[in-house]
Amino acid sequence: MKIKFLTLNIFNGEFLDKCIDFLKKESPDVFVLQEVYKGGILELDKKYRSLEILTRKFGDYDFYYSKAYFIKIGKTKVDSINAIFSRFPMIKNETIFFYHE
């Protein structure tokens, strides 16, 4: 069995539309995205709601995300995350952070 896997950095949502077009065209089985925002508030610019937009556009995929850090946009806390989308069911998810000084 062959699996098509893609990884992209969407540069804090700056390339969200191009990323969506590319992913739709390539139709990967699994894709992993860096620098995705999870803002959750409709009043925010769409780049700060990139996870919400991606989950709507790729509703037939399972997804998992892990928070890396957050930023403040006005009074709103927006999480910066890494996200995994898979056509295969994700049975178990875990985030492990590695830190080195």
Side-chain angles (χ1 to χ4, degrees):
M1 176 163 114
K2 289 186 178 184
I3 296 174
K4 190 171 193 177
F5 179 92
L6 290 173
T7 182
L8 297 171
N9 183 323
I10 65 170
F11 294 95
N12 298 311
E14 293 295 328
F15 300 116
L16 181 60
D17 292 331
K18 289 180 180 181
C19 175
I20 290 169
D21 292 344
F22 177 74
L23 290 166
K24 290 282 187 182
K25 180 179 144 238
E26 291 298 321
S27 189
D29 297 304
V30 178
F31 60 94
V32 179
L33 302 175
Q34 295 172 276
E35 296 185 12
V36 177
Y37 282 126
K38 180 182 179 283
I41 298 173
L42 288 176
E43 291 77 26
L44 292 173
D45 187 80
K46 75 178 187 176
K47 75 179 185 178
Y48 298 118
R49 298 178 288 111
S50 51
L51 179 65
E52 293 84 355
I53 292 167
L54 288 160
T55 56
R56 275 197 320 272
K57 296 282 186 181
F58 298 96
D60 55 335
Y61 286 75
D62 272 5
F63 75 96
Y64 174 74
Y65 68 89
S66 183
K67 190 168 35 169
Y69 60 91
F70 73 90
I71 60 171
K72 295 281 278 187
I73 307 295
K75 294 182 179 183
T76 303
K77 182 176 126 180
V78 177
D79 292 326
S80 178
I81 65 168
N82 297 311
I84 302 167
F85 288 78
S86 173
R87 290 191 191 273
F88 307 104
M90 287 193 246
I91 298 166
K92 182 179 176 186
N93 304 312
E94 181 179 6
T95 300
I96 300 172
F97 288 99
F98 292 92
Y99 178 76
H100 185 281
E101 288 187 20

